[in-house]
Amino acid sequence: DIQMTQSPSSLSASVGDRVTITCRASQGISNSLAWYQQKPGKAPKLLLYAASSLESGVPSRFSGSGSGTDYTLTISNLQPEDFAAYWCQQYYSTPLTFGGGTKVEIK
Amino acid sequence: QITLKESGPTLVKPTQTLTLTCTFSGFSLSTNGAGVGWIRQPPGKALEWLALIYWDDVKRYSPSLKSRLTITKDTSKNLVVLTMTNMDPVDTATYYCVHRAATALIDYWGQGTLVTVSS
């Protein structure tokens, strides 16, 4: 199984800040990495796929980068609606695996 | 557009079998590369992938739960069924039905259904 280690588990930030979340895979996943945003009581929403491709309709302040085993989600100019939980997930192979999540809170 | 919706019991007793149905629209599970899967999330905890069924009826299961899970599809009715045997309180979670694209990406999620296991 491919283990996904996501950090930090939580962070506090202010509106307008730049936020970075990282995800490390236990082996190379060839950019088969997705990022999801989840708000309380809602299903996760796809933000980025293939490590850096922005899903249609997602604001451009969200960006992704990385390769091999290390990946990053960056939110530039944090907005009030961005306070949520974020999850990385590898789809390189089954079993599909998720990171432990990052909760972005208001400072 | 693609939509998925989960249905099933909200409360099951320990040792019982859970049966969840995913009804979907906007795609066909006979399309090459398509798949439907299940992911769960205990309250306040992380997401956990459970199972996938592909257009060609290949099935994949979480290794830790494989002995308890069965996934089937009815392509003509656009539905997928997940059964989980021997339910335990630790299985209390929101269960999501998801669409797997031909690229293997999970791109669409159902709204989820909360299943509580309690006597």
Side-chain angles (χ1 to χ4, degrees):
Chain A
D1 300 6
I2 298 174
Q3 310 304 318
M4 303 301 292
T5 303
Q6 187 174 340
S7 62
S9 57
S10 67
L11 65 89
S12 295
S14 301
V15 172
D17 283 354
R18 179 185 178 95
V19 164
T20 299
I21 299 169
T22 63
C23 201
R24 172 167 288 177
S26 59
Q27 64 186 74
I29 56 172
S30 297
N31 289 5
S32 297
L33 191 283
W35 290 99
Y36 301 91
Q37 177 193 67
Q38 186 179 30
K39 296 185 177 179
K42 299 294 186 182
K45 170 191 171 185
L46 179 64
L47 296 177
L48 295 118
Y49 60 95
S52 61
S53 296
L54 199 65
E55 175 70 348
S56 177
V58 174
S60 59
R61 62 180 179 272
F62 291 91
S63 63
S65 64
S67 63
T69 61
D70 295 329
Y71 298 88
T72 299
L73 169 69
T74 300
I75 312 172
S76 304
N77 188 21
L78 197 68
Q79 295 299 297
E81 60 267 31
D82 301 336
F83 292 95
Y86 293 85
W87 307 91
C88 63
Q89 182 238 326
Q90 66 81 18
Y91 53 97
Y92 180 74
S93 65
T94 57
L96 305 182
T97 46
F98 291 86
T102 297
K103 188 172 183 180
V104 177
E105 299 175 310
I106 301 173
K107 183 183 285 185
Chain B
Q1 83 277 22
I2 291 175
T3 63
L4 308 104
K5 187 172 184 179
E6 308 85 353
S7 60
T10 58
L11 179 66
V12 298
K13 290 180 167 45
T15 76
Q16 287 187 336
T17 293
L18 171 68
T19 299
L20 292 173
T21 300
C22 174
T23 304
F24 57 86
S25 63
F27 69 98
S28 172
L29 203 35
S30 61
T31 299
N32 198 319
V36 171
W38 291 90
I39 292 168
R40 73 178 179 179
Q41 184 176 35
K45 296 189 178 181
L47 297 160
E48 179 185 19
W49 172 74
L50 301 178
L52 265 173
I53 188 164
Y54 299 94
W55 79 101
D56 56 0
D57 210 37
V58 168
K59 301 163 188 179
R60 293 287 183 261
Y61 297 102
S62 164
S64 62
L65 294 167
K66 185 175 183 177
S67 63
R68 300 173 52 205
L69 295 173
T70 303
I71 190 169
T72 60
K73 64 180 176 71
D74 186 327
T75 303
S76 64
K77 294 182 179 178
N78 279 1
L79 62 84
V80 168
V81 175
L82 180 76
T83 61
M84 180 180 290
T85 61
N86 193 25
M87 292 292 284
D88 183 272
V90 300
D91 297 313
T92 293
T94 296
Y95 287 75
Y96 295 101
C97 175
V98 298
H99 172 259
R100 180 235 193 227
T103 57
L105 173 68
I106 301 297
D107 53 1
Y108 292 93
W109 298 62
Q111 64 188 22
T113 186
L114 175 61
V115 178
T116 301
V117 184
S118 174
S119 55

